[in-house]
Amino acid sequence: MEKIIETRTVNIGETKICYDLERKDVKNLNLRIRKNGSVYVSANYLVQDDVVDNFIERKANYILAAKKKFGELSELSLTPKKYISGESFLVLGKNLRLVVSKGPKDTINSDGLFLYLTVKNTEDFPKKERIVKKYFDNYRKNYFGETISNIYPVFVKYGVQMPRLCIRNMETRWGSCSLVNGTITLNKHLLEAPPHCVEYVVMHEFCHFIYPNHSKQFYAFLTMLMPDWKERKQTLDKTVKYWL
């Protein structure tokens, strides 16, 4: 059947919540706050409009809180980094505070609490930006790669080959996989999530090598391998979901 999308409005007191309702072949009502702060709901063709509106009313507190939080994070993200002491970077669920100092050699390292950047010229913004971005690019590659290597042995007996890691900026998902190319692709912003959430995303994508869809068998398999995946997903949604 053809997908149908319409924009609807629900009044919550003096507040109006507008949302995009997409009709498609799904079993449950699904709610998502988009990157731009808009509200999206998918529902089956047979679900009546007032049922969806009531769903939005029940989720009103969550929606309004999410939109507020998204707005705060959006403003923060629109403020360009100056790469000066005191700025922070969200890494594996914790804020890493930047400390910039002048020295004879350009170096960067971290103790888990602070990110120490030493440069010959503390006013050289392009160089500071280049050094920090390269540091995090390498950090992502190493950490994501290590997570994949740690989880992979579970799938050896199922005939899964060691996948190749790809990292890129993804607008609507934390990860994806390609059975044809044998790759797992992870969102670069996943580095902001706590370690157990990164493990969940990697495990989720590995399971797709066995079950390519989101069938009951897929979720049963995921639950068998990671019984607490729902809790991990909830943490992921609460911590960095608003960047998507």
Side-chain angles (χ1 to χ4, degrees):
M1 298 179 68
E2 182 182 358
K3 291 183 180 179
I4 302 173
I5 301 177
E6 65 173 317
T7 299
R8 297 182 58 80
T9 301
V10 174
N11 294 317
I12 309 295
E14 298 181 354
T15 302
K16 292 183 178 181
I17 296 180
C18 296
Y19 69 96
D20 293 330
L21 173 60
E22 179 177 1
R23 299 288 186 174
K24 58 182 182 179
D25 188 17
V26 293
K27 292 184 177 180
N28 303 312
L29 291 172
N30 301 294
L31 169 67
R32 188 172 82 235
I33 312 300
R34 293 194 183 103
K35 181 179 180 180
N36 61 4
S38 63
V39 182
Y40 165 87
V41 177
S42 62
N44 192 277
Y45 304 94
L46 300 178
V47 178
Q48 297 182 355
D49 290 346
D50 61 342
V51 173
V52 185
D53 288 345
N54 290 335
F55 172 74
I56 292 295
E57 290 181 12
R58 294 196 303 273
K59 297 290 185 178
N61 290 336
Y62 164 77
I63 293 171
L64 295 175
K67 289 170 70 68
K68 180 181 177 181
K69 184 66 174 180
F70 178 86
E72 294 172 351
L73 292 176
S74 179
E75 290 180 5
L76 180 62
S77 68
L78 292 175
T79 303
K81 292 290 187 183
K82 297 180 180 179
Y83 299 97
I84 58 177
S85 294
E87 289 184 325
S88 62
F89 298 82
L90 185 60
V91 181
L92 298 177
K94 298 180 179 180
N95 282 313
L96 202 61
R97 188 77 65 174
L98 180 64
V99 178
V100 181
S101 60
K102 186 175 182 179
K105 187 177 180 180
D106 297 333
T107 62
I108 185 170
N109 59 79
S110 173
D111 61 2
L113 296 175
F114 295 93
L115 181 63
Y116 300 98
L117 173 63
T118 301
V119 288
K120 297 177 183 178
N121 180 7
T122 58
E123 301 300 318
D124 190 342
F125 170 81
K127 174 171 284 189
K128 291 189 294 182
E129 180 183 42
R130 185 166 58 251
I131 293 173
V132 173
K133 286 188 173 181
K134 183 178 180 180
Y135 172 84
F136 283 118
D137 285 343
N138 290 333
Y139 196 104
R140 286 186 190 92
K141 182 178 180 180
N142 292 333
Y143 189 83
F144 291 166
E146 181 179 342
T147 304
I148 288 175
S149 295
N150 290 339
I151 292 178
Y152 172 66
V154 175
F155 292 86
V156 172
K157 64 181 178 181
Y158 298 103
V160 176
Q161 298 297 312
M162 182 64 161
R164 181 171 59 89
L165 169 65
C166 294
I167 303 172
R168 63 186 180 88
N169 192 26
M170 305 172 76
E171 292 290 334
T172 60
R173 59 179 67 182
W174 292 118
S176 65
C177 72
S178 171
L179 280 67
V180 176
N181 298 323
T183 61
I184 286 180
T185 301
L186 298 178
N187 190 324
K188 62 181 293 185
H189 289 296
L190 187 60
L191 187 66
E192 299 168 7
H196 68 287
C197 295
V198 178
E199 293 172 355
Y200 154 68
V201 174
V202 172
M203 179 69 79
H204 183 110
E205 299 309 327
F206 259 116
C207 288
H208 277 312
F209 286 117
I210 309 298
Y211 296 99
N213 50 33
H214 288 113
S215 62
K216 290 183 179 179
Q217 292 84 356
F218 168 83
Y219 285 112
F221 186 62
L222 175 60
T223 301
M224 180 187 70
L225 297 179
M226 185 176 280
D228 64 341
W229 70 267
K230 290 183 179 179
E231 289 78 9
R232 297 180 188 229
K233 183 179 183 301
Q234 288 177 354
T235 301
L236 178 63
D237 289 343
K238 291 178 181 179
T239 53
V240 286
K241 178 179 181 179
Y242 307 105
W243 288 116
L244 291 179

